[in-house]
């Protein structure tokens, strides 16, 4: 068994115990072990053979014994007995948004529902609404959740895929004979979710490179290995594939493997128009002679184009823009001067304001806004009216200590309540330097209702930024069903900035709407929503999303000189 398979076994146990009604600390113990297995970084089989299972955080004797049984036999008596009491298929129902173990138990005990298909049939047949604690609205919510579940792709979030792939890439560049290496596919185009991890290497002799790839730590299975391609599965469940090409053909190989399919189709047509054919190996003339390209820039140059950034390669007009000489000068991480959405221990952050400020300064930022949650979002322990005054004093004292090395702003991430009002009165909002207004709750309200909530916030003159506009969480929660035409029109009219939230679990606003916003003259803000200093590094994901949206730096308020940014905030307030 791989780490990921073992982790999923313990998650299944936790799910079935949850549905059965087991006390929460027992199920949490299994989930913690599952998470630690996925993050272990070593093959669990090696740890088991060394007799060190109990050195894994959260693993006591009882769980170690279960691990031992699973790794020795591939089976677990405890799980088999549990499944005799609670059908294993019930765990699938937990994937339905907003459906918890108590409701699943109710449906199972009352109606015999044990599968997603049976749940949908019961909901469409009006059988759920008559049960205790249910009603027509609850039933409709479950149907909406089932439809949402059907739209999920099963792809890996960018935030998990990119660090793993970069680690592989660094190792690949050290492999014998490798003269160049790169990421490919949707990962190189920095899509919010990716399938398998694609890597390419340039080397005259592929054999030692292939061997190094399939022998890297964490490989659980070799799925395939040939002369130029190898595929592996890692203990954490990720899959990766490597292509090795001669250095003189690396440019065409990299261009082909990066995609997208639609971009490549249009590029191949452009080649045909010039009497050439384009493949992953070379550009070929009508007489059969080849044009070899060691770099992507050479591929595009042969076709009469400047190099096109991978983030743009989605056939959204990038080739036409390249032909016309009008490709955007895309934003770079180095151009971002300000972080305007961050949290501290005053709400749900894990670092003090001082720690956040020092980390921001170390990253070269010139402005940091501390935007702790307002009090209405109960789970965050947000700022009370008294806290606002005390926090202001702390920030002002720290500003004196740090001098001109970084400018600190007192802000707030203010909850947009279910009724459309904001958590603080206008008088309180006016006390802050910057206000981020966000949706966190009641995201499944009808479109008109949830859209009107956001419009109320956009039209409030004290609100400067709309944070993570749809409220989505990748891959588990879809965003609110907003009328984005209305949202964008209101933002354009009010002058509020819309956030590109760089947290890889959000990446919200998405690239399609970010591009529309930019084209409408709406200002954008790329923020990390950092809850600890390490989160500030997640700006890379927000920058990538903005690049996919064709965003140039002048459209992003975080890139402005501090004086210009502060003047804009002052004019709004």
């Amino acid at each position: 068994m791989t780490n990921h398979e073992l982790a999923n076994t313990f998650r299944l146990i936790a799910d079935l115990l949850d549905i059965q009604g087991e006390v929460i600390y027992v199920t949490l113990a299994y989930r913690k072990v599952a998470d630690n297995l996925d993050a272990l970084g070593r093959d669990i089989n090696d740890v088991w053979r060394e007799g060190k299972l109990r050195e894994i955080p959260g693993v006591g004797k009882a769980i170690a014994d279960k691990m031992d049984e699973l790794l020795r036999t591939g089976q677990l008596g405890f799980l088999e007995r549990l499944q005799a009491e609670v059908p294993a298929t019930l765990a699938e129902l937990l994937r339905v948004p907003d459906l918890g173990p108590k409701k699943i138990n109710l449906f199972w005990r009352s109606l015999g529902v044990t599968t997603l298909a049976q749940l949908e049939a019961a909901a469409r047949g009006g059988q759920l609404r008559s049960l205790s604690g249910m009603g027509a609205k609850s039933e409709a919510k479950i149907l909406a959740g089932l439809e949402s579940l059907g739209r999920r792709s099963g792809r890996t979030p960018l935030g998990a895929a990119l660090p793993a792939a970069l680690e592989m890439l660094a190792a690949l560049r050290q492999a014998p004979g490798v003269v160049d290496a790169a990421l490919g596919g949707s990962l190189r185009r920095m899509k919010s979710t990716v399938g398998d991890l694609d890597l390419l290497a340039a080397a005259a002799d592929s054999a030692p490179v292939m061997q190094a790839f399939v022998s890297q730590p964490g490989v659980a299975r070799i799925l395939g290995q040939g002369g130029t391609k190898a595929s592996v599965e890692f203990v954490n469940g990720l899959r990766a594939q490597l292509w090795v090409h001669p250095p003189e053909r690396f440019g065409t190989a990299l261009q082909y493997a990066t995609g997208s399919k639609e971009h490549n189709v249009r590029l191949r047509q452009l080649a045909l128009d010039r009497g050439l054919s384009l493949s992953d190996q070379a550009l070929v003339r009508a007489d059969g002679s080849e044009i070899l390209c060691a770099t992507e820039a050479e591929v595009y140059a042969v076709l009469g184009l400047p190099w096109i950034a991978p983030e743009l390669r989605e056939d959204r007009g990038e080739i036409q823009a390249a032909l016309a000489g009008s490709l955007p000068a895309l934003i770079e991480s180095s151009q971002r001067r300000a972080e305007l959405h961050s949290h501290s221990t005053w709400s749900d952050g894990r670092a003090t304001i001082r720690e956040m400020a020092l980390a921001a300064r170390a990253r070269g930022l010139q402005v940091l806004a501390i935007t702790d949650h307002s009090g209405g979002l109960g789970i965050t322990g947000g700022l009370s009216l008294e806290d606002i005054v005390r926090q202001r004093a702390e920030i002002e004292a720290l500003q004196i200590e740090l001098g001109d090395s970084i400018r600190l702003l007192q802000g707030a991430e203010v909850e947009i309540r279910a009724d459309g009002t904001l958590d603080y009165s206008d008088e309180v909002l006016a006390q802050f330097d910057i206000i981020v207004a966000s949706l966190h709750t009641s995201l499944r309200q009808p479109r008109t209702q949830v859209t009107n909530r956001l419009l109320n916030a956009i039209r409030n003159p004290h609100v400067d930024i709309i944070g993570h506009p749809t409220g989505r969480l990748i891959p588990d929660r879809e965003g609110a069903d907003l009328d984005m035409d209305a949202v964008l029109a209101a933002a354009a009219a009010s002058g509020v900035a819309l956030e590109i939230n760089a947290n890889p679990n959000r990446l919200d606003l998405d690239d399609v709407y970010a591009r529309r916003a930019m084209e409408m003259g709406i200002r954008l803000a790329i923020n990390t929503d950092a809850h600890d200093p390490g989160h500030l590094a997640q700006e890379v994901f927000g920058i990538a999303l903005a690049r996919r949206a064709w965003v140039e730096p002048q459209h992003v308020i975080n890139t402005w000189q501090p004086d210009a940014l502060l003047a804009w905030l002052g004019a709004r307030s």
Side-chain angles (χ1 to χ4, degrees):
M1 298 185 77
T2 67
N3 298 40
H4 192 57
E5 289 167 338
L6 198 61
N8 283 342
T9 300
F10 284 108
R11 288 194 181 96
L12 175 61
I13 291 171
D15 288 344
L16 297 181
L17 289 175
D18 258 343
I19 293 167
Q20 194 177 47
E22 180 61 83
V23 292
I24 191 167
Y25 74 85
V26 173
T27 60
L28 286 176
Y30 283 109
R31 294 191 197 285
K32 181 179 179 182
V33 168
D35 291 341
N36 289 338
L37 282 168
D38 273 338
L40 189 57
R42 290 191 64 200
D43 188 333
I44 188 61
N45 293 280
D46 293 338
V47 178
W48 169 58
R49 281 188 286 266
E50 294 168 10
K52 296 180 178 179
L53 291 177
R54 294 188 64 177
E55 293 183 12
I56 300 170
V59 175
K61 183 179 185 306
I63 290 181
D65 288 345
K66 291 180 174 66
M67 284 185 180
D68 177 74
E69 184 181 346
L70 279 163
L71 293 168
R72 276 189 298 105
T73 69
Q75 298 177 316
L76 182 59
F78 175 80
L79 179 56
E80 291 171 359
R81 293 189 293 274
L82 180 59
Q83 288 175 321
E85 300 173 9
V86 185
T89 52
L90 286 173
E92 286 291 299
L93 274 61
L94 288 168
R95 296 168 51 219
V96 179
D98 305 313
L99 184 57
K102 289 184 179 179
K103 281 286 191 294
I104 292 171
N105 186 295
L106 173 66
F107 302 158
W108 168 41
R109 303 286 188 189
S110 302
L111 301 173
V113 167
T114 61
T115 67
L116 288 169
Q118 290 172 349
L119 176 64
E120 182 173 2
R124 294 197 183 283
Q127 295 176 273
L128 303 183
R129 65 182 65 186
S130 60
L131 299 177
S132 175
M134 292 292 294
K137 287 185 178 180
S138 300
E139 191 174 64
K141 194 174 182 181
I142 287 172
L143 278 171
L146 285 164
E147 292 169 3
S148 168
L149 186 63
R151 290 190 291 270
R152 294 187 189 174
S153 66
R155 290 159 62 88
T156 302
L158 180 62
L162 184 61
L166 290 176
E167 187 175 337
M168 291 180 221
L169 187 63
L172 188 60
R173 286 175 171 153
Q174 301 302 313
V178 171
V179 297
D180 200 357
L183 303 178
S186 55
L187 182 60
R188 188 170 180 233
R189 303 198 313 276
M190 296 293 277
K191 295 195 70 171
S192 58
T193 62
V194 303
D196 293 349
L197 310 184
D198 296 334
L199 297 97
L200 293 92
D205 183 2
S206 65
V209 185
M210 290 292 183
Q211 188 56 40
F213 179 71
V214 300
S215 303
Q216 62 188 303
V219 171
R221 298 186 183 95
I222 299 174
L223 304 175
Q225 184 175 356
T228 60
K229 181 182 176 183
S231 301
V232 297
E233 180 180 346
F234 290 87
V235 294
N236 61 6
L238 284 175
R239 292 188 172 191
Q241 47 199 5
L242 168 69
W243 289 267
V244 181
H245 290 266
E248 64 272 16
R249 298 181 184 271
F250 188 65
T252 45
L254 179 57
Q255 191 287 315
Y256 179 86
T258 298
S260 65
K261 176 183 176 182
E262 294 77 12
H263 175 87
N264 286 356
V265 166
R266 195 170 289 273
L267 207 62
R268 287 199 296 273
Q269 183 58 54
L270 190 63
L272 290 173
D273 293 342
R274 284 160 171 73
L276 301 168
S277 62
L278 173 61
S279 72
D280 63 331
Q281 296 294 317
L283 285 147
V284 183
R285 300 182 183 93
D287 63 6
S289 61
E290 292 184 323
I291 304 172
L292 303 184
C293 299
T295 68
E296 279 191 322
E298 294 174 60
V299 178
Y300 285 97
V302 170
L303 299 176
L305 300 172
W307 179 79
I308 298 175
E311 297 94 333
L312 297 182
R313 300 181 197 176
E314 300 291 349
D315 191 26
R316 297 175 183 167
E318 69 277 6
I319 291 178
Q320 295 90 328
L323 288 168
S326 58
L327 283 173
L330 297 177
I331 187 170
E332 304 278 354
S333 288
S334 60
Q335 295 168 314
R336 186 172 168 272
R337 293 185 169 94
E339 171 59 60
L340 301 175
H341 182 175
S342 70
H343 299 271
S344 75
T345 49
W346 281 89
S347 62
D348 62 342
R350 294 182 287 275
T352 64
I353 295 176
R354 190 175 194 279
E355 290 168 335
M356 294 297 292
L358 293 177
R361 185 177 69 176
R363 294 189 64 83
L365 293 175
Q366 299 170 31
V367 179
L368 174 68
I370 299 294
T371 55
D372 280 307
H373 289 281
S374 57
L377 193 61
I379 60 170
T380 64
L383 296 173
S384 67
L385 298 183
E386 294 77 15
D387 288 338
I388 295 170
V389 176
R390 294 191 294 116
Q391 189 192 60
R392 170 70 74 174
E394 180 180 328
I395 289 174
E396 289 177 348
L398 182 59
Q399 184 70 78
I400 292 171
E401 176 189 340
L402 298 179
D404 295 334
S405 63
I406 189 168
R407 178 61 189 265
L408 303 178
L409 304 180
Q410 185 191 29
E413 184 178 13
V414 179
E415 181 66 9
I416 304 172
R417 295 170 175 163
D419 63 1
T421 60
L422 297 180
D423 237 3
Y424 293 140
S425 67
D426 284 352
E427 291 76 16
V428 173
L429 294 174
Q431 298 176 33
F432 291 97
D433 301 316
I434 185 170
I435 293 295
V436 179
S438 305
L439 296 168
H440 292 97
T441 59
S442 302
L443 298 181
R444 302 278 75 85
Q445 287 177 333
R447 166 178 272 216
T448 300
Q449 187 176 359
V450 72
T451 299
N452 284 336
R453 286 169 63 195
L454 201 60
L455 296 182
N456 286 340
I458 289 171
R459 291 165 180 156
N460 187 302
H462 298 288
V463 172
D464 304 298
I465 300 172
I466 297 298
H468 46 75
T470 74
R472 74 176 184 180
L473 289 174
I474 301 170
D476 298 319
R477 186 174 79 194
E478 286 191 323
D481 181 22
L482 297 170
D483 179 347
M484 288 305 299
D485 289 334
V487 169
L488 294 173
S494 74
V496 75
L498 297 182
E499 181 179 72
I500 294 175
N501 191 292
N503 183 313
N505 295 120
R506 290 196 182 275
L507 295 178
D508 181 17
L509 204 59
D510 72 19
D511 55 343
V512 173
Y513 288 118
R515 184 173 175 181
R516 281 186 57 192
M518 177 191 65
E519 290 169 347
M520 293 172 65
I522 298 168
R523 295 175 176 89
L524 299 169
I526 302 174
N527 294 317
T528 65
D529 197 354
H531 284 63
D532 68 46
H535 289 168
L536 293 170
Q538 293 179 344
E539 70 173 7
V540 62
F541 301 109
I543 294 292
L545 191 155
R547 289 169 64 87
R548 286 180 55 79
W550 297 48
V551 170
E552 297 181 306
Q554 66 269 23
H555 301 291
V556 179
I557 63 175
N558 311 68
T559 69
W560 297 353
Q561 291 288 347
D563 286 347
L565 174 62
L566 296 176
W568 178 75
L569 290 171
R572 289 189 58 74
S573 62

